[in-house]
Amino acid sequence: MHSTIESIRNNFRSDLINVNNHQDLEVIRVKYLGRQGILADLMTQLKDLSADDKKTFGPACNQLKAEFQELHQQTQALLFAREQELIARKAAAFDVTISKPLQQGSLHPYTYITQEIEDIFMSMGFAVADGPELETDYNNFGALNIPADHPARAESDTFWLPDMQRLLRTHTSTVQIKTMREQTPPIAIICPGRALRNEATDASHDFMFMQIEGMLIDKNISIANLLAVLKEFLDKLFGKSLQLRVRPGFFPFVEPGLEIDAQCPFCTTGCSTCKHTCWIELLGAGLIHPNVLRNAGIDPTIYSGFAFGSGLTRLAMLKYHITDIRLIHSGKIEFLEQF
Ligand code: FA5
């Protein structure tokens, strides 16, 4: 027993010599003084000794423990003093007069375009609304008059949670429902935000992209109001007067439903951006379906409204001539430095 105690003492001391920082010291404390450490193990061995040996080695083990605790504390104090000295030396060497050229960052293109769009709509009296990206089946589909057999509900499009009741919103139209429940007409909001779809990616499709939703509800709102607002918005965003082309479109939550193309802002005779058609598909829109108003507690015999939803990613691509959507989320510095 005597030689065991001596050997533990020597090992502890030689382990301590190699300690350079608090983490190393903690490893050694646990190894020797921890609840399952070497000393705890030694103490349990005492019970197998004769009464005489217990009298000798019991106090010897306690002394060893006290000695280790003392050395541990001293080493801790030494490390702390060394750290303080290092900090003081660094502070003394810090020269506030040295000026280094700073590498300047820039905002993400999404931030630029979102700020610009928010300014345009706020100047027309719209407020900016927000909503959760984790949504219920009802808010994403049911309340928006999307029947159970609509393809948008298919698992291939939607990121469902394992309970199959909650999902990552597939569009920002969910914010229409939330806002209608929280406010009373007149309501005029836009909501820029993320949408997620379980889709394969290509140059113009990503599984996570930004949309911008718009909604206005009041008495006597018509398609004419929708077109006037959208024209003002697009003209301001692209800095020139753009022609709009309206086509019928089906979205279960609007009636009538429209798809709106804008005259290509980059050419007059056709270019690769507009695939040589001079028109670019921009958004879905329409007059809010009476079922949707009713679902959110608004009387469709008194109020009507319009809604639209555009790919904010697509607007950014058009405005900044970005040819591949995947660049936007790539985090590539060469790409981001251009903004
Ligand atoms: C919708 O999401 C409707 N909620 C829009 C709407 C709102 C219609 C209000 C009527 C009233 P859609 O699935 O077409 O519609 O998507 C709208 C836009 O999102 C598209 O025009 C496109 O620009 C963009 N988008 C859709 N899927 C992707 C994708 N995978 N990657 C990038 N952008 C996408």
Side-chain angles (χ1 to χ4, degrees):
M1 192 67 172
H2 180 70
S3 63
T4 311
I5 290 177
E6 276 315 301
S7 137
I8 294 175
R9 175 175 281 121
N10 289 337
N11 290 345
F12 181 73
R13 283 174 180 270
S14 75
D15 278 355
L16 267 195
I17 290 172
N18 297 321
V19 162
N20 279 320
N21 54 46
H22 289 285
Q23 285 99 313
D24 291 351
L25 182 63
E26 179 60 7
V27 170
I28 288 173
R29 188 195 64 76
V30 171
K31 180 175 166 189
Y32 289 91
L33 292 163
R35 278 201 296 157
Q36 292 171 348
I38 291 172
L39 281 192
D41 189 39
L42 192 66
M43 297 290 189
T44 55
Q45 288 174 30
L46 285 177
K47 70 178 181 335
D48 300 326
L49 299 181
S50 67
D52 277 352
D53 282 351
K54 272 185 193 154
K55 273 193 198 143
T56 312
F57 293 114
C61 287
N62 286 337
Q63 195 198 331
L64 189 67
K65 188 173 178 187
E67 188 184 318
F68 281 11
Q69 284 169 335
E70 172 72 21
L71 281 172
H72 173 262
Q73 271 180 11
Q74 282 174 8
T75 315
Q76 208 169 29
L78 192 75
L79 287 174
F80 184 70
R82 259 196 241 155
E83 269 174 14
Q84 292 304 309
E85 195 190 319
L86 196 68
I87 292 171
R89 246 191 284 143
K90 275 192 187 160
F94 187 77
D95 184 350
V96 287
T97 61
I98 291 178
S99 87
K100 271 191 178 173
L102 287 178
Q103 203 182 357
Q104 185 145 21
S106 63
L107 295 179
H108 192 274
Y110 271 154
T111 312
Y112 282 121
I113 197 159
T114 305
Q115 286 174 348
E116 193 173 344
I117 291 176
E118 286 179 358
D119 283 348
I120 295 172
F121 276 100
M122 284 195 292
S123 75
M124 290 192 270
F126 283 71
V128 179
D130 199 5
E133 287 163 20
L134 178 64
E135 267 294 2
T136 59
D137 177 323
Y138 183 71
N139 284 348
N140 196 82
F141 296 128
L144 284 160
N145 202 33
I146 300 181
D149 54 356
H150 192 278
R153 282 191 177 226
E155 223 179 302
S156 59
D157 286 331
T158 307
F159 288 112
W160 290 97
L161 264 70
D163 62 15
M164 295 301 283
Q165 299 297 315
R166 290 169 303 160
L167 48 87
L168 300 180
R169 70 179 178 199
T170 60
H171 53 177
T172 43
S173 298
T174 49
V175 182
Q176 287 184 33
I177 299 300
K178 179 174 178 282
T179 312
M180 281 188 233
R181 281 202 208 107
E182 288 170 358
Q183 299 178 23
T184 46
I187 304 171
I189 56 120
I190 54 158
C191 168
R194 275 191 200 92
L196 296 109
R197 293 185 192 175
N198 196 353
E199 280 184 15
T201 61
D202 60 28
S204 54
H205 293 86
D206 212 342
F207 62 88
M208 198 277 285
F209 54 98
M210 298 287 281
Q211 283 194 331
I212 174 145
E213 194 75 15
M215 178 179 81
L216 188 145
I217 302 174
D218 203 346
K219 291 178 181 157
N220 302 317
I221 295 300
S222 71
I223 292 285
N225 301 117
L226 167 67
L227 294 180
V229 166
L230 287 177
K231 180 141 175 54
E232 172 82 359
F233 159 52
L234 294 168
D235 286 353
K236 280 197 170 152
L237 186 65
F238 290 106
K240 62 194 268 193
S241 183
L242 293 180
Q243 284 243 314
L244 298 185
R245 185 170 77 172
V246 180
R247 295 179 282 116
F250 174 72
F251 300 94
F253 34 96
V254 286
E255 182 57 43
L258 318 168
E259 292 202 52
I260 295 186
D261 304 331
Q263 184 194 30
C264 179
F266 307 118
C267 69
T268 46
T269 53
C271 66
S272 59
T273 310
C274 62
K275 299 200 178 89
H276 302 280
T277 62
C278 295
W279 293 98
I280 293 178
E281 184 192 315
L282 278 187
L283 49 90
L287 289 185
I288 301 172
H289 198 291
N291 287 350
V292 176
L293 291 171
R294 221 174 277 120
N295 286 341
I298 293 178
D299 186 346
T301 63
I302 302 175
Y303 292 105
S304 55
F306 67 68
F308 61 86
S310 180
L312 201 146
T313 307
R314 173 160 297 182
L315 295 175
M317 289 172 78
L318 281 175
K319 189 160 167 79
Y320 304 127
H321 288 253
I322 301 167
T323 49
D324 191 322
I325 192 170
R326 290 165 293 196
L327 279 171
I328 297 181
H329 299 134
S330 66
K332 285 192 178 152
I333 297 289
E334 318 85 73
F335 169 74
L336 293 170
E337 269 174 350
Q338 302 171 80
F339 296 92

